[in-house]
Amino acid sequence: KAGVTQTPRYLIKTRGQQVTLSCSPISGHRSVSWYQQTPGQGLQFLFEYFSETQRNKGNFPGRFSGRQFSNSRSEMNVSTLELGDSALYLCASSLGGELGTYEQYFGPGTRLTVT
Amino acid sequence: SQQGEEDPQALSIQEGENATMNCSYKTSINNLQWYRQNSGRGLVHLILIRSNEREKHSGRLRVTLDTSKKSSSLLITASRAADTASYFCATKPRTGANNLFFGTGTRLTVIP
């Protein structure tokens, strides 16, 4: 089975721009979660999508949004980028059920640098 | 914050030695999971232990859970250079926020 894939792997943007990151989950997995990882804040949960609906949301501003398509692929969008948005963005998929009930499988991440 | 804390923050051992990492958390949990991350890459799931379990094994890994002390430990036996990575615990709260809360991580270095 192919693992979780994320594109692009690296991205450089300037302040004020917007960015879209993509995640393809493991085949058959219906839950996709997004995390932000920074040296200062560690790993923080952004949101989770299940069956094309946002099911859970972390404590991030509305500039961070996402969506999930019928094939379970998910995209995350960040608008009006700020320097503090520089981070490794990780996507994780799991079979479903309640989030966190089962192990999550992570992609390699997208390294976003905002200048 | 519901974020867990790992202890120690960094650990350096010789190949063949055992490595023990601890995780403390604050709220009642449904389960606790351990993940490994090689530098700047995605996380790899290691073990999931449910709140009604006290110990689980997987190969060279042994995880214990003490819900009365709100703590868990991860033991890696007979360490190898390839075990060099950061290790994170993640907790799923029993009530309230429905997501995983990751700890701050332990950076393990295994010296060949």
Side-chain angles (χ1 to χ4, degrees):
Chain A
K1 244 185 198 181
V4 178
T5 59
Q6 291 187 246
T7 56
R9 293 293 310 280
Y10 302 92
L11 207 47
I12 299 175
K13 291 284 189 179
T14 56
R15 273 182 301 175
Q17 287 187 314
Q18 75 161 15
V19 67
T20 299
L21 312 181
S22 180
C23 171
S24 292
I26 292 172
S27 177
H29 284 193
R30 296 167 64 191
S31 167
V32 175
S33 297
W34 289 90
Y35 294 84
Q36 181 197 65
Q37 186 177 30
T38 60
Q41 299 297 319
L43 268 156
Q44 293 188 291
F45 172 76
L46 280 155
F47 31 65
E48 182 224 6
Y49 285 86
F50 181 83
S51 293
E52 301 179 62
T53 302
Q54 187 182 85
R55 188 165 66 166
N56 293 291
K57 189 176 188 304
N59 195 24
F60 277 79
R63 298 186 298 107
F64 292 82
S65 63
R67 58 177 175 168
Q68 186 180 34
F69 302 95
S70 58
N71 61 358
S72 292
R73 190 177 71 84
S74 177
E75 287 182 346
M76 190 191 101
N77 186 273
V78 187
S79 63
T80 319
L81 283 166
E82 301 176 359
L83 293 178
D85 296 333
S86 294
L88 181 66
Y89 289 89
L90 294 163
C91 161
S93 77
S94 66
L95 277 171
E98 193 173 300
L99 177 61
T101 306
Y102 302 101
E103 56 267 33
Q104 295 193 302
Y105 296 84
F106 282 79
T110 293
R111 172 75 62 186
L112 172 65
T113 302
V114 182
T115 62
Chain B
S1 166
Q2 292 175 282
Q3 190 176 40
E5 286 189 15
E6 277 95 339
D7 168 57
Q9 287 189 331
L11 180 60
S12 186
I13 59 174
Q14 295 289 330
E15 203 166 30
E17 293 181 336
N18 295 341
T20 299
M21 288 159 269
N22 303 296
C23 168
S24 60
Y25 56 91
K26 295 176 182 174
T27 63
S28 294
I29 61 170
N30 175 288
N31 68 61
L32 184 145
Q33 305 176 32
W34 284 90
Y35 289 83
R36 183 187 74 224
Q37 183 180 37
N38 289 88
S39 185
R41 307 183 73 170
L43 281 76
V44 175
H45 181 266
L46 297 175
I47 286 185
L48 182 154
I49 186 166
R50 303 194 187 280
S51 61
N52 61 351
E53 298 175 307
R54 291 296 167 258
E55 189 170 310
K56 278 190 98 166
H57 297 255
S58 177
R60 294 183 296 112
L61 306 181
R62 176 181 153 231
V63 167
T64 61
L65 178 65
D66 187 335
T67 53
S68 66
K69 294 181 180 178
K70 292 187 169 56
S71 67
S72 174
S73 67
L74 169 66
L75 168 68
I76 304 174
T77 60
S79 64
R80 306 166 181 167
D83 295 330
T84 294
S86 291
Y87 291 82
F88 295 87
C89 66
T91 53
K92 173 170 168 55
R94 183 176 296 282
T95 60
N98 190 26
N99 62 49
L100 282 179
F101 290 90
F102 281 82
T104 49
T106 291
R107 176 67 192 169
L108 173 66
T109 301
V110 181
I111 303 166

